[in-house]
Amino acid sequence: MTVKAAPSILSGDFSRMGEEVIRMERAGADMIHCDVMDGLFVPNLTFGHKMVADLRKYATTPMDVHLMIVRPERYLDKYIEAGADRLSFHIEATELITESLERIRSADVKAGIAICPETPIEKAIEYFDYCDFIVVMGVHPGFSGQKYIPETTERLKFLRSEISKRNLTIELEMDGGANESNVREIASAGADIIVSGSCAFNSPTPEKVIQTFRGID
Ligand code: DX5
Ligand code: ZN
C-alpha cells in the first residue's frame, strides 16, 4: 500500500511561501495542500487565489486546494485560473454541491468534496458520481496542529468500503491530525492521500516524516 503525502502550506512560514513549497517538494511531497479560509466558515483567515497563483510558479507537483469558505461557488473560477490541479470545498458550506463539482470537472480540474467530523459520513455517498476525491477531516477545520479525532478512522473505512462496492476510483484524502504514530492506521483504513501540516513543517527532518507517510506497505 502506498500513500501520497500532501504537506499543508498552512503550517509554513507565510513570509517565505515559495521557499516552503520548494522545501516540501525536496523533502518528497507528492502535492502541495493549500488551505483557503475565509474567517466565516472557519474561525481563521489564511490566503486567497493570488497566493495559489503565485505558488503555482514554484510548484512542480499538483496544487491541492482545499476551500474552507462560505458559498465556494463564488470563487471556483478564480482558483481554477490560479492553477489548482485539485479543488475541494465543504459540503456544509453550499447548497450548490453537484453544480460546483460539475463546474470544476468541466475545467479539467479534479473535483473534491470535503466533509467535517460532525457531518454524517453517509452524506458523501450522494456525490460519488460527481467527485474525483473526498477530503475526510480528521479535525475540526480551522487550524493546524490539532489532535486527530479517532472516529475518523471508521469514517474512512466506511467510505473505502462503499467506494469499493461500487467499483469506483474515488480517492480518499485524510486531512488533519496525522502524525508518524497514526499514519499507518489512517492508511490501513483506506486513505490514498494524507495531509501533513504541523508534522512535516515543524520537523527538522521533513524528508523523514514524508517518507514515513509515503512508505507504508
Ligand atoms: C485544517 C486544515 C488542515 C491542516 C492540517 O483546517 O484543513 O489541512 O492544515 O494540519 P495538521 O496536519 O497540523 O493537522
Ligand atoms: Zn486542509
Side-chain angles (χ1 to χ4, degrees):
M1 192 194 326
T2 48
V3 173
K4 289 183 179 162
S8 165
I9 203 80
L10 174 63
S11 297
D13 178 343
F14 273 37
S15 69
R16 302 187 299 122
M17 287 299 233
E19 289 165 49
E20 293 289 58
V21 166
I22 294 170
R23 186 162 76 94
M24 285 301 133
E25 290 195 342
R26 286 204 183 126
D30 292 289
M31 62 186 78
I32 302 294
H33 186 82
C34 300
D35 284 310
V36 176
M37 304 185 186
D38 66 355
L40 285 173
F41 181 69
V42 288
N44 194 7
L45 262 178
T46 55
F47 49 78
H49 49 85
K50 182 163 189 312
M51 178 68 90
V52 174
D54 287 354
L55 293 183
R56 189 80 210 71
K57 297 173 204 150
Y58 287 82
T60 57
T61 59
M63 295 289 270
D64 179 42
V65 179
H66 174 198
L67 299 179
M68 284 159 276
I69 65 175
V70 169
R71 293 180 47 230
E73 61 275 10
R74 296 173 297 152
Y75 288 104
L76 298 176
D77 288 356
K78 292 286 186 198
Y79 288 93
I80 291 165
E81 279 165 32
D85 300 280
R86 305 162 50 84
L87 186 54
S88 62
F89 60 86
H90 275 267
I91 58 172
E92 301 87 358
T94 177
E95 290 180 354
L96 302 178
I97 299 171
T98 53
E99 293 86 341
S100 296
L101 291 167
E102 281 170 346
R103 168 69 197 115
I104 298 169
R105 274 186 163 178
S106 74
D108 271 336
V109 171
K110 285 199 171 182
I113 51 166
I115 184 159
C116 288
E118 67 277 9
T119 303
I121 198 67
E122 298 76 20
K123 276 295 278 175
I125 297 173
E126 293 172 37
Y127 308 105
F128 274 7
D129 290 340
Y130 303 90
C131 68
D132 302 302
F133 68 105
I134 300 174
V135 181
V136 179
M137 295 306 298
V139 298
H140 295 287
F143 299 91
S144 59
Q146 302 182 74
K147 199 175 163 304
Y148 179 74
I149 298 172
E151 289 76 23
T152 310
T153 303
E154 283 309 311
R155 289 162 65 82
L156 283 166
K157 280 187 193 160
F158 173 80
L159 282 187
R160 173 52 64 215
S161 121
E162 294 297 315
I163 291 167
S164 304
K165 250 191 237 171
R166 294 168 176 80
N167 268 321
L168 296 170
T169 53
I170 300 169
E171 290 172 320
L172 287 181
E173 177 169 341
M174 206 300 295
D175 185 12
N179 56 48
E180 286 165 288
S181 322
N182 62 16
V183 71
R184 183 169 285 276
E185 169 187 324
I186 294 165
S188 311
D192 302 292
I193 299 162
I194 304 180
V195 176
S196 54
S198 46
C199 183
F201 278 89
N202 296 347
S203 167
T205 50
E207 64 283 358
K208 288 202 181 130
V209 175
I210 290 178
Q211 195 45 50
T212 307
F213 272 52
R214 302 177 78 207
I216 297 157
D217 48 51

